[in-house]
Structures are given as structure tokens and as C-alpha cells.
Amino acid sequence: MFNDFFSNPLVQRTIIDLVLVSIVGFIFNRKLEKYKSDNAKKLQIDNFFRQISGNKIEEIFDQWSNLVMNTEEFGKKTTAEAMNDMLKKTVMYGSENTVKIASLFQQYNYKYNSSEEDSVQEEGVIFILLFLATETICSLKYDFTGHRIKAMDLIRMKLNDTHNKLVYDELVKAEKRAHIIIRDGVK
């Protein structure tokens, strides 16, 4: 009788389906639990990082903002050591994206400030540097507050002639070039 029951194709199919559903459910639950665990761990690390380094992120955010918003004063007051310290703090407290953009800013700065001949090769070097610095600020803003801002909006705060079509066109070109640099690196 037992053999007849299990030899029935409908019973065999039902048992196979139940086993498969159980296996798939088990695998799904394991992956879901791992996902929840990983997410909780990331949130815990992020909260700890923000709690410990919030003041440091605010400080480095302020330094980068001064680079763009108070360019003249920043240039007068900032030594190579101070710039290196600012970059060091960016590495210590900034996100992966922030560090990437700041390093591209420095690489571009090294490349086009090394000789006058190189500066002629790239049109709008100053605007491109301005956009790279501003993109670093935007990334730090996101690190610090979780809010996204646009680099062009910050530049419009600094420059008073962005309404001039020639200046605006140069800014748009520089913004596109900066985004290419961020995507592909300094070539």
C-alpha cells in the first residue's frame, strides 16, 4: 500500500515540487539574511564613521569650500604643507568618490602647472581645475550631509559673470571636460 502510494506519479511530482520549493526557499532566506546582515553592518560602520569623524569632515569640507569660494585668500594663506594636510584629511575622512575626485584635481593641477607649454595644450585649465575642486566639494557635501548639489550652482555663487554667454559656454565646456576626467582619469 505504501509502495502504491509513492509509485503514483502525482504523489511523486508533489513530493519533488515540495522539495524544490523548500530548497529554493531555504536559499532565498539565506541570501536575504546575508543581505540584511551586510546592510546592517554597513549602516553601523557608516554611523560610527560619521559620529567619530563628523567634525573632521566638516573641517575638510570648509577647507575645500574656501579653495573655491575664497580663492585669493586661500592662495595667500595656503602653504604646500597646508595643502598636503588638506589632502591627507580628505583621504582619511572622505568617501572613495571624494578621494578619487580630489586626487584627479591634484593630478590635473600637477600636469598643467608643471610648465607653460602644457597649459597651452588644454583649453580652460583654470575652469577645469575649478570644476574638479567644486566636484570634490559636492562629493564632500554628500559625505557630510547626504545631500547632492551641483558644481555649476557653486560656481555661479563664486563667479559674477556666468550670465555672459562666452563665459557660460566656457564653463559648460570645462564642466564636460571635468566629468570626462572624473570618468577616465587625467590623460
Side-chain angles (χ1 to χ4, degrees), residues 75-89:
K76 290 177 191 172
K77 288 184 176 181
T78 305
T79 63
E81 294 82 30
M83 187 66 183
N84 286 335
D85 186 56
M86 187 172 96
L87 292 169
K88 176 185 169 191
K89 288 177 184 171

Side-chain angles (χ1 to χ4, degrees), residues 5-99:
F5 180 73
F6 285 112
S7 63
N8 183 333
L10 182 60
V11 171
Q12 288 177 350
R13 183 66 188 159
T14 304
I15 291 172
I16 290 172
D17 287 347
L18 285 173
V19 169
L20 287 175
V21 167
S22 296
I23 291 171
V24 169
F26 177 76
I27 292 170
F28 178 76
N29 282 336
R30 294 277 301 207
K31 290 195 181 269
L32 183 61
E33 289 302 316
K34 177 150 178 43
Y35 175 76
K36 285 180 182 178
S37 173
D38 289 348
N39 231 11
K41 185 187 277 186
K42 285 179 186 175
L43 283 173
Q44 187 177 12
I45 290 169
D46 188 53
N47 285 338
F48 177 76
F49 179 74
R50 285 182 190 268
Q51 184 179 22
I52 297 300
S53 63
N55 291 338
K56 298 293 185 182
I57 292 174
E58 183 179 4
E59 180 184 321
I60 193 68
F61 179 69
D62 183 58
Q63 289 175 328
W64 276 98
S65 294
N66 281 332
L67 172 67
V68 172
M69 297 300 176
N70 302 323
T71 310
E72 298 81 21
E73 189 177 316
F74 184 88
K76 290 177 191 172
K77 288 184 176 181
T78 305
T79 63
E81 294 82 30
M83 187 66 183
N84 286 335
D85 186 56
M86 187 172 96
L87 292 169
K88 176 185 169 191
K89 288 177 184 171
T90 302
V91 171
M92 290 173 63
Y93 304 111
S95 66
E96 179 181 352
N97 189 55
T98 300
V99 171

Side-chain angles (χ1 to χ4, degrees), residues 119-147:
S119 296
V120 175
Q121 294 175 2
E122 180 84 39
E123 191 176 328
V125 171
I126 298 300
F127 280 162
I128 294 168
L129 275 170
L130 183 63
F131 265 101
L132 290 171
T134 305
E135 288 290 347
T136 303
I137 294 167
C138 292
S139 186
L140 278 165
K141 172 81 171 179
Y142 183 75
D143 294 348
F144 186 56
T145 66
H147 296 284

